[in-house]
Amino acid sequence: MNASGNVNDLIAFFAVARERSFTRAAAKLGVSQSALSHTIRGLEERLGMRLLTRTTRSVAPTEAGARLLTNVGPKFDEIDAELMALSELRDKPAGNIRITAGEHAAETILWPALREFLPDYPDINVETVVDYGFTDIVAERFDAGVRLGEQIAKDMIAVRVGPDMRMAVVGAPAYFADRKRPRTPQDLTDHSCIKLRLPTYGGIYAWEFEKGGRELRVRVEGQLVFNTGPLILGAALSGAGLAYLPEDRVQRHIEEGRLVRVLADWCAPFAGYHLYYPSRRQPTPAFALLVDALRYRAK
C-alpha cells in the first residue's frame, strides 16, 4: 500500500471518529457511505485491529482508535494548517473558516461583521455553526468560537469582539395585569418564568444576578422551556411569563411598551463576547484578517 493511500485512509478514519457518524463523515468528505465503510475496513485489516465500534445507532473509537485519534490526529491538523497558510503566497487571502457561536453572538456580532468583511475578500468562506453548548473547537475542527469572556478556557487566545453586556428580566404588560412586579430575585419564586435549556449538560439555565457585590443564581420555575432566545422572547411578548434575555434583544420592545423591565438594579454589566482559538494555532492570513475585522474597538 502506498503512502498516499495510507494518508487518505487515516483522513477518512479521523472524519468518522470525530463526527461519530459514517453519514456525516461521508457528506463532509464528499464520498459515499459504502466507499467510506470499505476504506475503514481496509485500514483495520492492514493494521490487524478494530478502530471503530459500530452499532445501529452510533459509531465510537475503540481504545486503539482513540489512541490514534489523540496522538496522530493533531499532527494532521498541523499539516492542514500549514497548507492553509500557503494562501499567504496568493495575491488575495483565501480559505475556509469555521466558527461556532451562540445564537445571540451570531446575530449581533458575527453577521454584522461578516456582512462588511466578505465582499472585500471573495476567496474567503466562513461557516457559522450556532450552538449554545461549550463546544470543544479542537475536537470538532472549528477554527474559532465566540463565547462570553468568562466562559473561555485559559489555554485559548481570546480577542474581545463586543462591548460589555447586561441581561434583562422582562414581561408583557398583560402578564403584570394581575401580578405584583418582583423587587428581588427571590420574588421570582411567585412568578411563571420562561426557561432556557442548555444543550451541553441538558440542564435548565439558572438566572444570574448581582448587586452590591452579592451574587445570586435563581433556579426559576414555569410551564415553558425553550432552547432558543427568539422563542423565549416571543413567549414573553405574548404574556406567557417572565423572560431573562440580553438587554439589546429586548430594549426596543421595552421602549415601545410591549415589555416591562423588572429587577434592572440586579442585572450588572459583565464581560461581553470574545473570539477564542487555540494558542498553538498558527493563524492563516485569511483568519488573521477576520480576527481583525471582528476585534472590538470602543467608540
Side-chain angles (χ1 to χ4, degrees), residues 221-263:
E221 296 297 331
Q223 292 179 283
L224 290 172
V225 181
F226 294 110
N227 65 350
T228 68
L231 288 173
I232 292 175
L233 175 58
L237 287 167
S238 74
L242 297 182
Y244 182 82
L245 292 165
E247 183 180 62
D248 64 334
R249 178 166 269 175
V250 299
Q251 188 62 43
R252 179 171 58 87
H253 297 293
I254 295 171
E255 293 171 354
E256 296 177 0
R258 289 187 291 274
L259 290 174
V260 176
R261 184 172 189 176
V262 295
L263 300 177

Side-chain angles (χ1 to χ4, degrees), residues 171-187:
Y175 174 82
F176 288 114
D178 57 355
R179 295 178 177 87
K180 291 183 179 180
R181 300 183 185 183
R183 296 181 178 275
T184 70
Q186 291 89 337
D187 293 340

Side-chain angles (χ1 to χ4, degrees), residues 75-94:
K75 294 179 172 61
F76 272 68
D77 293 338
E78 291 175 10
I79 293 171
D80 189 51
E82 288 299 325
L83 291 174
M84 288 292 294
L86 290 178
S87 63
E88 186 174 9
L89 302 177
R90 293 168 55 107
D91 293 335
K92 295 182 179 180

Side-chain angles (χ1 to χ4, degrees), residues 2-18:
N2 59 39
S4 62
N6 282 321
V7 168
N8 290 334
D9 291 353
L10 285 172
I11 290 172
F13 163 72
F14 294 141
V16 176
R18 284 165 169 159

Side-chain angles (χ1 to χ4, degrees), residues 170-243:
V170 294
Y175 174 82
F176 288 114
D178 57 355
R179 295 178 177 87
K180 291 183 179 180
R181 300 183 185 183
R183 296 181 178 275
T184 70
Q186 291 89 337
D187 293 340
L188 292 171
T189 57
D190 297 325
H191 287 267
S192 178
C193 299
I194 305 163
K195 297 177 286 186
L196 170 69
R197 183 174 296 281
L198 298 173
T200 304
Y201 303 109
I204 301 297
Y205 175 69
W207 294 9
E208 301 177 68
F209 299 97
E210 181 181 348
K211 183 178 181 180
R214 182 187 178 192
E215 297 182 1
L216 290 176
R217 292 171 63 87
V218 180
R219 297 197 175 279
V220 297
E221 296 297 331
Q223 292 179 283
L224 290 172
V225 181
F226 294 110
N227 65 350
T228 68
L231 288 173
I232 292 175
L233 175 58
L237 287 167
S238 74
L242 297 182

Side-chain angles (χ1 to χ4, degrees), residues 1 13 17 39 53 56-57 72 87 91 97 109-110 135 169 182 269:
M1 184 69 182
F13 163 72
T39 297
T53 299
T56 56
R57 294 188 176 182
V72 181
S87 63
D91 293 335
I97 300 171
I109 302 296
L110 287 178
T135 304
V169 180

